[in-house]
Amino acid sequence: AQSVTQPDIHITVSEGASLELRCNYSYGATPYLFWYVQSPGQGLQLLLKYFSGDTLVQGIKGFEAEFKRSQSSFNLRKPSVHWSDAAEYFCAVGALYGGATNKLIFGTGTLLAVQP
Amino acid sequence: DTAVSQTPKYLVTQMGNDKSIKCEQNLGHDTMYWYKQDSKKFLKIMFSYNNKELIINETVPNRFSPKSPDKAHLNLHINSLELGDSAVYFCASSLWDRGLGDYGYTFGSGTRLTVV
């Protein structure tokens, strides 16, 4: 069965420091992978996605993620964190349903806190 | 010009009541979804409609009934509300995809349902 694991429930980093949020997935075929961000009281915003091709994908707000098939991972990175990046981050895999990829399976999220 | 809009944003109601949450998208998408986010922030799909046809129905109590009058609207009706129904409900939309090409969801900002 498809699943997504985000091992870190809560991470605190200092403003200006680098960030890496971990995501591991379980999926039988080539996965469609996503990172979403949820600010307090807000909906989910798509940061970036991977379908195929270059394994390093660039997203909005200076985020990037690298797909590593051998490790079943899709970790999110940012070289320098800003205080406004404090939010909940969700990794998700697009799962096949009825022959098409139209169901997202989410990880449990990582809450990012940013210290001044 | 909100892309996916949900109403109401907040809903407080007593146990046993019946309530509805409305969702509308103006993106020209043909597939809409309801996701539930529980108190631990875990997101799980409930339903999905493609061109008004139900295509995903996860293990959800019969008290929950989605209705899609057209492909731009997907409403969620809940009968006999229980305390455990308290959660944030997210509507989302996308273009149906046969496994290739661009794919992603656009989420609404959520409806926080509190049952007392």
Side-chain angles (χ1 to χ4, degrees), chain B residues 100-111:
Chain B
L100 295 173
D102 193 19
Y103 170 82
Y105 283 25
T106 301
F107 280 87
S109 57
T111 295

Side-chain angles (χ1 to χ4, degrees), chain B residues 21-37:
Chain B
I21 306 172
K22 296 185 177 181
C23 179
E24 176 181 6
Q25 55 93 6
N26 62 3
L27 297 167
H29 289 167
D30 56 8
T31 307
M32 296 183 73
Y33 312 80
W34 279 110
Y35 276 77
K36 179 180 180 180
Q37 186 175 47

